[in-house]
Amino acid sequence: MSAKNLLVELFVEELPPKALKKLGEAFAAALANSLKNAGLAPSTAAVTAYASPRRLAAHVTDVLAVAADKPVVQKLMPVAVGLDAAGNATPALLKKLAALGADASCVASLRRENDGKADILFYDSLAKGATLAEGLQKAVEAALAALPIPKVMTYQLADGWNTVNFVRPAHALVALHGSEVVPVSVLGLTSGKATKGHRFEAAIDPVVIADADSYAATMLKDGSVIASFAERRAEIARQLAAAAAQAGTNLKPIEDDALLDEVTALVERPNVLIGQFEEEFLAVPQECLILTMKANQKYFPLLDAAGKLTNKFLVVSNIRPDDASAVIGGNERVVRPRLADAKFFFDQDRKKSLESRVPGLAKVVYHNKLGTQGERVQRVAAIARAIADSLGGGSLTAHAEQAAVLAKADLLTDMVGEFPELQGIMGRYYAQHDGLNADVADAIEDHYKPRFAGDSLPRGTVGTVVALADKLETLVGMFGIGQIPTGDKDPFALRRHALGVIRMLAEGNLDLPLDQLLNGVFAQFTGIEGFQANHAALADFIYERLAGSLREQGYTAQEVDAVVSQRPQRLGDIPKRLAAVRSFSTLPEAAALAAANKRVGNILKKVEGAVEAVVDNALLKEAAEVALHDALVDVVPRADAAFVTGDYTESLSALAALRAPVDAFFDGVMVNADDPALRANRLGLLAKLHAAMNQVADLSKLSA
């Protein structure tokens, strides 16, 4: 029988908007995979997902009415067990065949095959291919069971007796193979051709789908529904751009993919309208107005060419009346109290200075093992003061300490209480209102940066110092009480904090040795009951994050391992070290020197106790060891001088001259000589070589 395209649609009440896109994709993928696994659809079958606020659907191409029969090979038992001396079936074989639905009549056709130990009996048969009705029933059930449902509802069916569980009550099921209905039952529904269109604007009710391929066109024409999530999203984006151009020259809607996805999940046939509010509200920080419009109303604020908020916004409506003035007016009326609340919060908050709010942090619990926000602020301020002193002191220290003390004060404001996403941002506005130094105000906002991967770093040194202090306090504190991330669990975002510290130290090229930095932070937790100074574990955690970040930037695992395994203290040096390693790897001598370095390291590891890099010239007997020592005397000062100035590429390049004497040494010198003094001297020579070769990076990591 020839293949036809298949359409399955489940019509439900309004689905959770933030989950709709994933639900649609998961439903289509699971349905198609089940059909493919059953042999009802080829692996090349095209799958199209549809998802609107009130439906999940999938279109699958080239679906068979009946799957092809499948050959089945069943291993039975050894011939010696299954057949007696006369070649007749034993009771054991007959019992096995009966379990497979066969009898003694097939004994003569059993296949024999040697498995290397004995002859084995095999039963070959054909399994009837599944019908589409059977396969689709299982596929729909499997697809519904696998949906990533945020929260399940239990609801009563129309019969008044039975209940089912699903994300939302379901009201209709369409299952079409070409133009034929495939009999399927799920969630108390039986499949047919009829569904529902737009709640208010459908041209026909119910909407009847003639065949699988006409689904999207029929839903649009008769149901006034754009069934495809992607097409509906693109249509909203197009209308937003057109409405912005209509609203004014150089205006553009705010870019927010999450908001666009959510609005796409709220409407079935979008209609973008232009609204506006009183200009007096623009006196409130635009972040507040933008957030309340986006979060509470799902509006798209309009910005001018400079990125400044205007008093106009765009509404994505689900209806298209001839006169939209009532819809626009209703939305303007609804948003006004929201903006008035924001203005009220802003005005009230400015009646108290940030500094006056700081004592209140002593009443806010930060963590039951680490104390209050007030105690935390004291630790962060002390850490910031120490970091600023290391970077030059003076006004930097004064401003960093002041910003650290005030950085969390906006947590006690009405605005941040209403919109936690604005913490830091509002602190900056209130600091400016209090007449504080611009660097201090910026640092209050920027101490949360970078908030996410790819986010900008703090805009100034004061902000960098406070951001470092804040993130290091969090890392040290949580590690000290055993809150170490495991697997996917990282409730305190410690991985993000570690990457933030790494970026600020590396990209800012700050002269702050990591171990020294951590020691200073750990000192701030002295006296806290149950706190463990887990320095080594935290350092390992940071270097692991560093290695992962560098690999994501395109460095090879060998290059990263060579540099990071040395635990460089100044993270700002790492890009130069990696560049030097990459340059060194291109030298003809690189592979041989890397292998030699690995060999030297293995030799030194086997020696009990530390080997001092000290050589007694009088004990240099062999020509090869004399030559190696002379080469080191020549090369090491040049490599060291380049290393001290930060020219790591030149430092590694100087080592190329060691290849020939190193090769000659291993060819002609017995390191483990019988004479203890001679052996110790040769180990000292290797220790000196090892130290010279591993200043910039562990070159043995470059050895294959």
Side-chain angles (χ1 to χ4, degrees):
M1 185 177 289
S2 61
K4 300 177 184 177
N5 296 340
L6 176 76
L7 183 282
V8 177
E9 185 213 64
L10 184 66
F11 176 75
V12 298
E13 292 182 17
E14 277 75 3
L15 291 160
K18 291 185 179 179
L20 180 64
K21 186 179 180 182
K22 285 185 178 179
L23 289 173
E25 292 169 350
F27 178 74
L31 186 81
N33 287 338
S34 293
L35 294 173
K36 291 175 181 179
N37 292 337
L40 289 163
S43 60
T44 55
V47 184
T48 304
Y50 296 97
S52 83
R54 300 201 296 161
R55 72 202 72 244
L56 299 174
H59 181 274
V60 186
T61 62
D62 302 323
V63 176
L64 298 169
V66 180
D69 295 343
K70 286 185 179 180
V72 178
V73 177
Q74 182 71 42
K75 183 178 180 180
L76 299 175
M77 58 190 67
V79 173
V81 176
L83 301 176
D84 60 19
N88 297 317
T90 63
L93 178 59
L94 292 174
K95 184 177 180 181
K96 182 71 173 178
L97 288 172
L100 297 174
D103 55 29
S105 64
C106 70
V107 171
S109 63
L110 294 180
R111 181 166 52 86
R112 303 185 186 195
E113 190 174 308
N114 193 287
D115 66 354
K117 295 180 181 179
D119 285 341
I120 306 295
L121 290 172
F122 288 87
Y123 175 55
D124 297 331
S125 62
L126 279 177
K128 293 290 292 180
T131 66
L132 180 55
E134 297 168 342
L136 187 58
Q137 180 68 45
K138 293 178 181 177
V140 173
E141 290 174 356
L144 296 184
L147 286 179
I149 298 174
K151 196 172 183 179
V152 173
M153 290 181 63
T154 299
Y155 61 94
Q156 194 174 58
L157 297 179
D159 61 16
W161 292 98
N162 297 303
T163 60
V164 294
N165 298 319
F166 194 53
V167 60
R168 291 291 186 270
H171 297 299
L173 176 66
V174 174
L176 293 175
H177 187 224
S179 59
E180 298 175 9
V181 175
V182 183
V184 178
S185 297
V186 69
L187 299 177
L189 304 170
T190 301
S191 58
K193 287 190 169 188
T195 184
K196 296 276 188 179
H198 193 287
R199 190 180 288 277
F200 307 111
E201 299 189 350
I204 300 173
D205 184 37
V207 176
V208 177
I209 311 300
D211 57 65
D213 291 345
S214 64
Y215 174 70
T218 303
M219 289 307 304
L220 182 60
K221 177 177 176 290
D222 296 341
S224 195
V225 171
I226 301 175
S228 166
F229 188 96
E231 289 179 17
R232 206 162 58 253
R233 189 181 193 274
E235 174 61 15
I236 293 173
R238 185 194 66 76
Q239 289 191 34
L240 287 172
Q246 180 186 340
T249 306
N250 295 326
L251 295 188
K252 61 178 182 179
I254 195 163
E255 293 183 10
D256 189 322
D257 285 341
L259 177 61
L260 184 54
D261 282 343
E262 188 174 0
V263 170
T264 302
L266 287 169
V267 300
E268 292 192 309
R269 186 74 180 271
N271 180 33
V272 174
L273 305 170
I274 304 168
Q276 63 181 20
F277 55 84
E278 291 78 3
E279 290 190 0
E280 65 187 71
F281 289 121
L282 294 177
V284 179
Q286 70 177 43
E287 292 90 344
C288 309
L289 304 181
I290 289 171
L291 186 58
T292 191
M293 282 191 280
K294 285 173 28 178
N296 294 320
Q297 305 305 132
K298 314 305 175 190
Y299 297 161
F300 287 82
L302 283 174
L303 310 178
D304 65 17
K308 187 177 179 181
L309 180 68
T310 69
N311 69 323
K312 295 181 180 180
F313 59 89
L314 302 180
V315 180
V316 183
S317 174
N318 194 35
I319 56 176
R320 297 172 297 157
D322 293 333
D323 181 4
S325 59
V327 178
I328 295 171
N331 280 280
E332 291 176 341
R333 196 160 52 250
V334 168
V335 78
R336 195 171 292 116
R338 296 285 189 181
L339 302 181
D341 285 347
K343 186 176 186 302
F344 175 78
F345 293 147
F346 185 55
D347 291 340
Q348 288 298 110
D349 285 342
R350 288 183 295 170
K351 292 178 180 179
K352 291 179 64 177
S353 68
L354 283 179
E355 187 175 1
S356 70
R357 297 180 186 275
V358 172
L361 293 171
K363 299 176 184 178
V364 180
V365 174
Y366 167 55
H367 191 284
N368 62 348
K369 294 183 179 180
L370 295 173
T372 66
Q373 281 285 6
E375 291 170 312
R376 181 173 183 238
V377 162
Q378 291 175 12
R379 291 193 295 267
V380 172
I383 296 165
R385 183 169 58 246
I387 293 173
D389 283 342
S390 297
L391 294 176
S395 62
L396 174 61
T397 299
H399 290 154
E401 185 172 7
Q402 183 182 24
V405 169
L406 300 175
K408 305 298 180 183
D410 69 348
L411 296 177
L412 300 180
T413 62
D414 291 339
M415 187 71 83
V416 174
E418 181 72 14
F419 300 112
E421 302 94 329
L422 295 176
Q423 57 189 279
I425 294 170
M426 296 314 302
R428 176 172 173 268
Y429 279 109
Y430 297 144
Q432 290 173 334
H433 179 263
D434 293 345
L436 300 183
N437 177 275
D439 289 340
V440 172
D442 288 345
I444 291 172
E445 176 180 349
D446 289 354
H447 86 281
Y448 288 105
K449 294 181 179 180
R451 295 172 186 254
F452 50 85
D455 190 19
S456 60
L457 296 180
R459 69 198 85 181
T461 307
V462 176
T464 299
V465 168
V466 182
L468 276 173
D470 183 69
K471 288 171 173 55
L472 287 168
E473 192 278 341
T474 301
L475 286 164
V476 169
M478 293 304 164
F479 265 72
I481 59 173
Q483 294 289 338
I484 300 173
T486 56
D488 293 335
K489 295 182 179 179
D490 187 8
F492 298 100
L494 301 188
R495 294 185 179 96
R496 177 167 57 80
H497 284 307
L499 287 170
V501 169
I502 289 165
R503 282 191 60 198
M504 285 184 281
L505 291 175
E507 294 178 31
N509 196 23
L510 301 180
D511 189 12
L512 295 170
L514 186 60
D515 280 346
Q516 181 181 320
L517 202 54
L518 294 180
N519 286 335
V521 179
F522 273 104
Q524 297 301 320
F525 289 84
T526 303
I528 293 181
E529 186 178 352
F531 185 87
Q532 299 289 326
N534 210 342
H535 188 293
L538 179 53
D540 289 344
F541 180 78
I542 291 173
Y543 280 112
E544 285 169 7
R545 304 282 82 69
L546 171 62
S549 173
L550 293 171
R551 287 193 292 270
E552 288 177 1
Q553 293 173 43
Y555 295 104
T556 68
Q558 285 182 316
E559 291 168 343
V560 171
D561 199 16
V563 172
V564 176
S565 64
Q566 295 294 81
R567 299 294 186 95
Q569 290 298 298
R570 287 189 76 260
L571 302 192
D573 282 349
I574 287 176
K576 290 194 295 181
R577 289 177 184 250
L578 285 164
V581 167
R582 184 165 286 182
S583 176
F584 174 79
S585 299
T586 64
L587 299 176
E589 300 85 357
L593 285 173
N597 190 42
K598 188 173 186 178
R599 184 175 180 182
V600 171
N602 290 335
I603 292 171
L604 295 175
K605 284 178 188 175
K606 294 176 182 177
V607 180
E608 291 186 13
V611 178
E612 292 187 34
V614 177
V615 178
D616 183 349
N617 291 357
L619 292 175
L620 297 172
K621 302 297 184 183
E622 303 290 342
E625 61 184 327
V626 172
L628 177 57
H629 180 261
D630 289 345
L632 286 172
V633 169
D634 175 56
V635 168
V636 169
R638 290 191 285 115
D640 287 351
F643 181 84
V644 169
T645 61
D647 190 348
Y648 300 132
T649 300
E650 177 58 32
S651 183
L652 286 183
S653 296
L655 301 178
L658 294 175
R659 178 186 175 176
V662 167
D663 288 348
F665 177 87
F666 282 118
D667 287 342
V669 178
M670 174 67 71
V671 177
N672 291 318
D674 294 334
D675 183 344
L678 202 57
R679 182 168 64 251
N681 200 56
R682 288 172 180 172
L683 289 171
L685 181 61
L686 290 183
K688 191 170 184 179
L689 172 65
H690 196 254
M693 295 178 74
N694 290 281
Q695 281 198 104
V696 175
D698 183 352
L699 299 184
S700 68
K701 303 294 185 181
L702 303 177
S703 178

